[in-house]
């Protein structure tokens, strides 16, 4: 789309065991807008986000997962709507089984109990001002890194907006790991760590 102007795409290979890394490197020879970063081992979704966010240089930053559920059109829609917001959230609809719905409900409940946060339907991708994003000290290795971005902007009373709801597409490949017991336990542990970090940061801000 010509209206977008200059852009970059940061690809993060989170320890893939197939030829993903080689394909990424080959693409950089064809597309100068691409930059590629590799993790030697799988470090988690949040770690991949942190790497991509840190390496970004754009005035507005978003993310797209590699499973095909999120289309580029969704990211472009948010970019059109960001206006003077510091962070623009979006909702998401997806078709999942009963077990996944129960798990999601449980995680949402724990998030509310431990962190006092309720997502209010804003579980899709977001777009955030690049200078704001690169100033956020992110720690989580799981998807909780996304919540850190939202909480940081809320605590600093930055301007946050909400876009519409987009229906997720069927996965092109791979399986979700969020339902794996190790990932669930890791997420809960990171919630507790995030709780105490937030408390310390708020106490320091009041001092």
């Amino acid at each position: 789309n010509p209206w977008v102007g200059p852009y970059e795409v940061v690809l993060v290979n989170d320890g893939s065991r197939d030829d993903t890394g080689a394909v990424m490197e080959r693409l950089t020879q064809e597309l100068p807008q691409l930059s590629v970063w590799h993790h030697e081992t799988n470090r988690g979704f949040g770690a991949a986000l942190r790497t991509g966010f840190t390496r970004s240089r754009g005035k507005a930053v978003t993310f797209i997962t590699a499973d095909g559920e999120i289309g580029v059109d969704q990211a472009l829609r948010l970019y059109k709507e960001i206006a003077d917001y510091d962070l623009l959230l979006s909702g998401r609809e997806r078709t999942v089984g009963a077990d996944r719905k129960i798990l999601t409900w449980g995680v949402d409940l724990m998030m509310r109990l431990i962190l006092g946060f309720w997502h209010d339907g804003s579980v899709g991708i977001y777009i955030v001002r690049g200078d704001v994003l690169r100033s956020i000290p992110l720690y989580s290795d799981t998807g909780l890194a996304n919540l850190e971005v939202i909480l940081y902007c809320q605590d600093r009373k930055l301007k946050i907006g909400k876009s519409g709801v987009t229906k997720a597409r069927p996965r092109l490949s791979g399986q979700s790991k969020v339902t794996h017991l190790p990932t669930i336990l890791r997420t809960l542990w990171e919630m507790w760590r995030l709780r105490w970090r937030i408390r310390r940061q708020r106490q320091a801000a009041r001092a």
Side-chain angles (χ1 to χ4, degrees), residues 158-170:
L158 300 182
K159 190 171 183 180
I160 302 174
K162 184 177 177 182
S163 182
V165 175
T166 302
K167 188 173 181 59
R169 302 171 179 176

Side-chain angles (χ1 to χ4, degrees), residues 7-200:
Y7 68 93
E8 65 174 350
V9 177
V10 181
L11 301 179
V12 181
N13 170 25
D14 189 31
S16 298
R17 300 176 184 176
D18 53 19
D19 61 347
T20 297
V23 171
M24 286 181 172
E25 291 293 344
R26 188 164 64 249
L27 287 173
T28 62
Q29 305 302 314
E30 304 171 9
L31 302 170
Q33 301 92 339
L34 297 186
S35 64
V36 174
W37 305 91
H38 303 277
H39 294 169
E40 291 187 8
T41 59
N42 183 276
R43 291 164 47 189
F45 180 53
L49 285 177
R50 294 203 321 267
T51 295
F53 290 164
T54 301
R55 304 297 183 180
S56 69
R57 296 168 296 172
K59 67 178 182 179
V61 181
T62 187
F63 69 94
I64 297 177
T65 53
D67 57 18
E69 281 194 335
I70 301 171
V72 176
D73 59 314
Q74 297 179 45
L76 293 178
R77 186 196 78 202
L78 292 182
Y79 182 58
K80 276 186 175 180
E81 298 176 4
I82 190 171
D84 60 344
Y85 289 113
D86 297 299
L87 172 66
L88 183 62
L89 306 170
S90 71
R92 177 180 60 173
E93 292 180 359
R94 65 194 310 190
T95 302
V96 296
D99 56 341
R100 181 62 182 268
K101 290 180 180 179
I102 293 172
L103 175 62
T104 299
W105 178 85
V107 171
D108 288 347
L109 177 62
M110 295 305 298
M111 207 175 290
R112 192 167 191 173
L113 293 174
I114 297 173
L115 299 172
F117 175 83
W118 189 249
H119 59 69
D120 190 28
S122 301
V123 293
I125 62 171
Y126 53 81
I127 189 166
V128 57
R129 274 180 34 212
D131 58 338
V132 169
L133 180 63
R134 291 184 286 272
S135 70
I136 301 176
L138 299 176
Y139 298 94
S140 300
D141 287 334
T142 67
L144 210 61
N146 285 325
L147 180 57
E148 289 188 72
V149 173
I150 299 173
L151 292 176
Y152 179 94
C153 292
Q154 285 183 341
D155 273 1
R156 283 150 184 80
K157 302 188 184 328
L158 300 182
K159 190 171 183 180
I160 302 174
K162 184 177 177 182
S163 182
V165 175
T166 302
K167 188 173 181 59
R169 302 171 179 176
R171 282 175 174 269
L172 295 177
S173 62
Q175 294 182 339
S176 173
K177 298 181 177 63
V178 298
T179 57
H180 294 183
L181 181 60
T183 302
I184 295 172
L185 295 176
R186 191 178 186 184
T187 301
L188 290 175
W189 169 240
E190 288 195 343
M191 277 189 199
W192 280 107
R193 292 175 60 190
L194 179 56
R195 172 191 173 100
W196 292 110
R197 276 199 303 271
I198 292 171
R199 178 173 293 185
R200 288 196 300 269

